[in-house]
Each structure stands twice: as structure tokens, then as C-alpha cells.
Amino acid sequence: MSKKKFVVTPTSILKKCGFPVSEHHFLLENKALILKLKYILEELNEEGILIQRESKQDFKGVKEIGYDFIT
């Protein structure tokens, strides 16, 4: 069975944790939380745990940087 590839973005993290990210107003009301997650992902990228994707991910009109796990 093949593994499904998971793109790591602030929105995908929130979605996996059960937050209602499909509601656009949720994203707008929680910009501080999303910025904190972006900072953490940037730190993990610098530490070599994640690798930044070349293209940006688009979710509900919000462009964000996606990351992959380094295996």
C-alpha cells in the first residue's frame, strides 16, 4: 500500500487537529495562530527536518508555503 503524501502547511496542521479550516472566517479570525505555525515551520526547515516546496499551496485563496518531511 502506497503512503499518501502529506504537505505540511499551517492550514493542513490545523485541519489534522480538527479545526474548521473550511470556514473562511475561521482563517481570518486566527491569523496570529497561523503566523505562529508559519514561524515553527520555518524553524523546522532551517533545522533540516522539513524541506520547503518550490510552489506555494493554495487553500481557499490563501497562498502558503508547503513543506515535505525529509526522509
Side-chain angles (χ1 to χ4, degrees):
M1 185 173 166
S2 64
K3 278 180 113 176
K4 185 177 179 182
K5 192 147 191 164
F6 180 70
V7 179
V8 181
T9 64
T11 306
S12 68
I13 293 171
L14 292 174
K15 185 176 179 181
K16 287 288 183 184
C17 292
F19 287 90
V21 296
S22 60
E23 298 174 17
H24 193 66
H25 76 273
F26 172 82
L27 296 175
L28 295 175
E29 291 174 352
N30 291 290
K31 286 189 177 187
L33 176 61
I34 292 170
L35 287 174
K36 286 179 187 177
L37 287 172
K38 283 182 182 180
Y39 176 75
I40 292 169
L41 291 174
E42 289 172 6
E43 291 291 320
L44 291 173
N45 181 38
E46 290 175 7
E47 291 177 12
I49 297 170
L50 298 176
I51 187 166
Q52 185 175 336
R53 289 181 152 217
E54 290 182 25
S55 63
K56 292 188 176 184
Q57 305 301 308
D58 186 15
F59 181 77
K60 293 202 170 276
V62 177
K63 298 268 187 194
E64 53 188 7
I65 298 171
Y67 296 91
D68 289 320
F69 287 108
I70 295 178
T71 55

